[in-house]
Amino acid sequence: MQRSRYRTLGQIGQGQFGKVFCGIDRENGQVFALKDLDIKQFPTRKFLRELSYLVSLKHPNIISFHGIEHHQGGRYLVMDYCEGGTLRELMESGQKITLQLILKLVQDILSALVHAHRKKIIHCDIKPENILLKITSTGYIAKLSDFGIARWSEEQLQPYHSGGYTGSPAYMAPERFYGKYSAASDLYAVGILLYELLVGSRPFSGFPKDLMAAHLSQSFNLSDTIPLSLQTIIEKALRKLPQRRFTNSQEMLEAVRLAEQELLGNSSDNIFFIPSSSSSLNNFSQIIKKVYLSRKITNLSVVQNWIYWVEKNVLMVQFYYDKTDLEFFHDYKITFEDEIIKLEFSSNTVYIFTFSEESNLYTLYHFFVEQEQLKKLLTWSANQLISSIDIKGKWIAIALNYQEINIYSLQDFKFIKSTITEGKIQQIITLDQSHCLVIHQSTSEHTLFQIFNRRGNLFKAFSITLAIELVTLSKVADYEIFAIETNKPFLGLLIKLKPLKITRIPLPFKPSFVLAQSWGYILASSLGEIIVLNAQGIIQGEINLSATITAITTLNDEKILVATESNNQSCLQQLSLKKDF
Ligand SMILES: Nc1ncnc2c1ncn2[C@@H]1O[C@H](COP(=O)(O)OP(=O)(O)OP(=O)(O)O)[C@@H](O)[C@H]1O
């Protein structure tokens, strides 16, 4: 048996007929969905049927089928991978969905239906669970999936109550309960979906029997807050008689396009519809200490009760305890020959990188704070150095000149392995005791992730269609990072790496600092705005310090230290994050 072309990056979901995996093409790092079709549970007839729809349909808004992969245990259907998850997941994520996004997604779904209906295929199961979201540098793309119960338009169906045919009653048009269906039945389901996206709940709810009665004879109300043009579209899509709905999917698509033009024009403002609990943000934080300083602080870290800060080639260390008045004295002051460019930490050791511009020489030192021991460890001659230290302080990954990755043991400072990579290394993050993530900015619209193990061997590589920066490792979940979208700096990204899953988070400002906490993230702009996000990326609170933030660090789970500057006056503030997360 040949080795599979794909390497799995974890399971994404479990359908009725088998598991779905996220897989990487070993050759080019592209990510695909691998739907494992359990031969026992998924009869070949049903498999061929779903396949016949997928093969017939090639459209940017329909999940593409890329082939069948046989493996030892059975067979995989290889399909487009949608790292944004399902539309249902987005709706339940607590993130605000803008009117622009609602109209964009509904147009994507209708474009998919225009194509399918032209090919005489009726989807028969339009619902948010079957709309998958691809995230690219241009935004979300909705892709219609799960043609498991789709039908050719000439086929006959059994009535719903005969049990021979299923669907999702909450989205089923009245005729579907009698086994009748047409393109108009799919448009009815899109009408329910549009209603749900705008209102936050569906027009009819209850058990399947109640739902059937409601779809057949009940009317529904729409609040006046929904724009008239959208009310008209919903009203027409949800007519009880199929022949009174839109004549076809193209006509409904045109109506949504017109409504979009009328409502949004060329405006790029974000209009939110669904009231969100986070819309009434409190000032979450309290300034508990504030001291004025004679100098500007540009680098600040707190590790195990020691505050570290840097002024050019001087490192100062001060013990911090709750009653510290923050007046800046220092317990230690170490002067280096060259300018300090970075500090890294592992428990009570600080690693200091210095750089000499004259000789292009990077030097690494370590300092054991309690033992007052400073030691020079390694030097590199390079134009550029990026580093990341293992959390336990056992090894370090160093990238030189954007391309060469070197791994060193920190126990005996021995060189372990060097690898030359293609592309431009932008950041390295140690993920756990044995792996590090190397992030390459391959183009302005692509990012390549490479996972190396501590022996310097490439373990996995895959890419996403987004450029990212300011990447920070989560303290909540393993293999999860937070990043900012380079081309849209008002968007945060919560990226799970195993399996790949991306959540987009609209932000009120462009962050310059991202701090991970055991309950979520703290984001700050250089202008003094700070927000707190929970682990799901939902904004919990905000504060504005109305001063330039020059450095920021966490003191513990509840407190942060922020260095600010305004009117040439530097200041250090200790803030308490008062809310329960
Ligand atoms: N192409 C894909 N890209 C990303 N995630 C996917 C993809 N296909 C499926 N998934 C995820 O896997 C889950 C299971 O998918 P699958 O299509 O097997 O089952 P289902 O739609 O839940 O139900 P069923 O096919 O049994 O009716 C989905 O809910 C979705 O989260």
Side-chain angles (χ1 to χ4, degrees):
M1 192 91 187
Q2 269 190 330
R3 146 177 124 141
S4 166
R5 175 171 170 177
Y6 304 93
R7 174 167 214 164
T8 132
L9 201 61
Q11 184 178 337
I12 330 157
Q14 167 87 55
Q16 221 178 313
F17 301 107
K19 295 176 177 145
V20 183
F21 297 92
C22 171
I24 319 167
D25 187 328
R26 290 177 198 266
E27 257 172 42
N28 57 20
Q30 246 183 299
V31 185
F32 290 95
L34 308 175
K35 196 166 175 174
D36 189 7
L37 298 168
D38 189 325
I39 295 173
K40 281 188 225 101
Q41 292 187 48
F42 204 97
T44 304
R45 193 172 45 82
K46 197 162 177 354
F47 170 70
L48 290 177
R49 188 178 174 98
E50 181 160 0
L51 201 59
S52 67
Y53 298 121
L54 284 173
V55 174
S56 315
L57 297 169
K58 286 262 171 276
H59 188 271
N61 299 114
I62 296 177
I63 284 287
S64 294
F65 162 72
H66 296 276
I68 295 174
E69 177 79 3
H70 290 271
H71 61 105
Q72 275 149 339
R75 56 201 169 170
Y76 285 132
L77 215 60
V78 183
M79 298 182 296
D80 282 347
Y81 184 65
C82 293
E83 55 289 86
T86 65
L87 178 55
R88 170 68 69 214
E89 284 164 342
L90 177 68
M91 288 158 80
E92 287 179 353
S93 69
Q95 295 295 341
K96 294 174 182 176
I97 308 180
T98 60
L99 181 60
Q100 283 97 321
L101 183 57
I102 293 175
L103 297 181
K104 152 86 171 87
L105 296 178
V106 168
Q107 286 177 71
D108 282 356
I109 299 162
L110 285 166
S111 303
L113 287 178
V114 169
H115 181 72
H117 292 168
R118 275 192 192 138
K119 299 258 174 187
K120 302 207 178 312
I121 295 168
I122 316 292
H123 185 277
C124 292
D125 203 11
I126 303 284
K127 58 179 176 180
E129 289 78 355
N130 288 338
I131 313 294
L132 294 171
L133 302 171
K134 179 113 199 115
I135 298 184
T136 71
S137 56
T138 54
Y140 280 105
I141 299 173
K143 290 193 180 253
L144 191 52
S145 85
D146 204 345
F147 284 76
I149 61 164
R151 288 292 180 267
W152 300 103
S153 49
E154 297 84 20
E155 275 180 282
Q156 281 307 308
L157 287 184
Q158 300 191 352
Y160 178 69
H161 45 74
S162 73
Y165 174 64
T166 51
S168 308
Y171 298 85
M172 268 167 61
E175 66 277 10
R176 294 274 321 278
F177 292 91
Y178 296 106
K180 296 209 168 69
Y181 68 97
S182 65
S185 322
D186 281 347
L187 301 185
Y188 184 93
V190 178
I192 302 262
L193 188 71
L194 177 58
Y195 183 111
E196 189 175 10
L197 282 164
L198 292 169
V199 177
S201 60
R202 291 186 289 271
F204 310 123
S205 57
F207 291 112
K209 217 165 68 117
D210 309 324
L211 277 168
M212 177 172 164
H215 285 298
L216 288 172
S217 55
Q218 205 172 302
S219 59
F220 59 89
N221 292 322
L222 265 170
S223 137
D224 286 346
T225 56
I226 308 291
L228 199 60
S229 50
L230 296 178
Q231 289 192 37
T232 313
I233 292 173
I234 293 172
E235 188 274 320
K236 191 162 178 184
L238 295 190
R239 289 193 184 147
K240 307 292 182 199
L241 289 174
Q243 57 275 26
R244 300 198 56 210
R245 293 178 209 143
F246 289 96
T247 322
N248 53 45
S249 30
Q250 183 67 42
E251 192 186 296
M252 185 165 174
L253 174 62
E254 292 302 331
V256 179
R257 267 192 201 140
L258 269 177
E260 182 186 47
Q261 265 168 26
E262 176 208 309
L263 296 168
L264 304 173
N266 295 323
S267 125
S268 57
D269 291 349
N270 289 334
I271 300 171
F272 296 106
F273 257 103
I274 302 174
S276 154
S277 54
S278 61
S279 58
S280 56
L281 291 176
N282 302 318
N283 270 6
F284 65 87
S285 137
Q286 226 190 15
I287 297 170
I288 40 184
K289 281 175 198 166
K290 186 168 179 173
V291 289
Y292 291 96
L293 305 169
S294 54
R295 53 187 180 243
K296 177 173 163 180
I297 296 182
T298 53
N299 188 324
L300 191 65
S301 310
V302 177
V303 180
Q304 295 200 342
N305 286 56
W306 291 93
I307 303 183
Y308 298 81
W309 75 101
V310 170
E311 273 184 59
K312 290 211 160 117
N313 62 334
V314 182
L315 171 69
M316 278 158 288
V317 188
Q318 176 185 327
F319 188 70
Y320 166 87
Y321 53 98
D322 233 15
K323 301 210 169 44
T324 307
D325 54 13
L326 291 183
E327 288 305 340
F328 259 0
F329 66 91
H330 46 262
D331 296 312
Y332 304 104
K333 180 173 177 178
I334 310 164
T335 306
F336 293 83
E337 264 172 53
D338 302 317
E339 191 164 329
I340 298 169
I341 52 147
K342 189 175 180 189
L343 301 182
E344 292 228 47
F345 300 90
S346 78
S347 59
N348 61 348
T349 310
V350 54
Y351 292 86
I352 305 123
F353 286 90
T354 63
F355 178 61
S356 153
E357 258 181 52
E358 280 157 36
S359 53
N360 264 13
L361 202 69
Y362 287 91
T363 310
L364 173 65
Y365 300 85
H366 72 179
F367 178 62
F368 289 103
V369 76
E370 271 143 8
Q371 297 160 20
E372 297 182 40
Q373 253 183 38
L374 177 74
K375 196 171 163 197
K376 185 168 169 177
L377 303 175
L378 296 162
T379 55
W380 298 271
S381 172
N383 295 321
Q384 215 278 335
L385 180 145
I386 295 167
S387 68
S388 183
I389 231 161
D390 150 47
I391 304 137
K392 292 258 160 93
K394 295 208 167 128
W395 54 281
I396 186 167
I398 303 277
L400 298 175
N401 302 324
Y402 298 107
Q403 296 217 304
E404 183 187 330
I405 299 162
N406 296 308
I407 310 274
Y408 296 85
S409 157
L410 284 179
Q411 284 164 326
D412 49 15
F413 308 105
K414 282 218 174 96
F415 168 73
I416 298 176
K417 187 164 178 178
S418 175
T419 312
I420 307 287
T421 65
E422 281 174 29
K424 189 177 174 198
I425 298 174
Q426 185 199 349
Q427 213 174 327
I428 305 184
I429 289 180
T430 39
L431 293 169
D432 56 24
Q433 285 177 47
S434 315
H435 300 94
C436 67
L437 174 71
V438 178
I439 301 163
H440 299 255
Q441 199 67 75
S442 16
T443 67
S444 62
E445 292 184 354
H446 277 88
T447 302
L448 171 68
F449 293 127
Q450 289 181 316
I451 300 178
F452 282 85
N453 66 16
R454 55 182 294 184
R455 294 197 176 75
N457 298 322
L458 180 62
F459 180 54
K460 277 178 184 170
F462 56 99
S463 55
I464 57 171
T465 46
L466 285 171
I468 61 170
E469 59 191 28
L470 222 65
V471 182
T472 308
L473 184 68
S474 164
K475 284 192 182 162
V476 180
D478 290 342
Y479 278 60
E480 189 168 306
I481 53 177
F482 189 94
I484 304 299
E485 219 179 300
T486 308
N487 301 323
K488 300 195 177 83
F490 286 78
L491 281 174
L493 299 164
L494 208 55
I495 307 177
K496 286 189 184 21
L497 298 167
K498 258 171 73 178
L500 181 65
K501 206 89 198 252
I502 304 182
T503 311
R504 279 181 139 203
I505 298 157
L507 303 172
F509 56 77
K510 174 181 183 305
S512 301
F513 306 92
V514 177
L515 304 175
Q517 283 287 41
S518 61
W519 39 258
Y521 299 91
I522 298 169
L523 272 52
S525 76
S526 55
L527 297 175
E529 301 135 303
I530 303 177
I531 52 170
V532 164
L533 308 182
N534 67 10
Q536 289 70 44
I538 311 293
I539 301 177
Q540 304 293 307
E542 63 185 348
I543 189 171
N544 195 337
L545 298 179
S546 306
T548 306
I549 296 179
T550 57
I552 180 167
T553 187
T554 55
L555 271 176
N556 54 35
D557 268 1
E558 290 166 16
K559 290 180 192 140
I560 56 175
L561 266 187
V562 190
T564 58
E565 196 181 45
S566 90
N567 303 326
N568 282 334
Q569 175 67 69
S570 295
C571 175
L572 191 69
Q573 313 192 25
Q574 184 183 316
L575 309 185
S576 166
L577 312 171
K578 290 293 277 183
K579 254 180 146 182
D580 290 333
F581 295 106

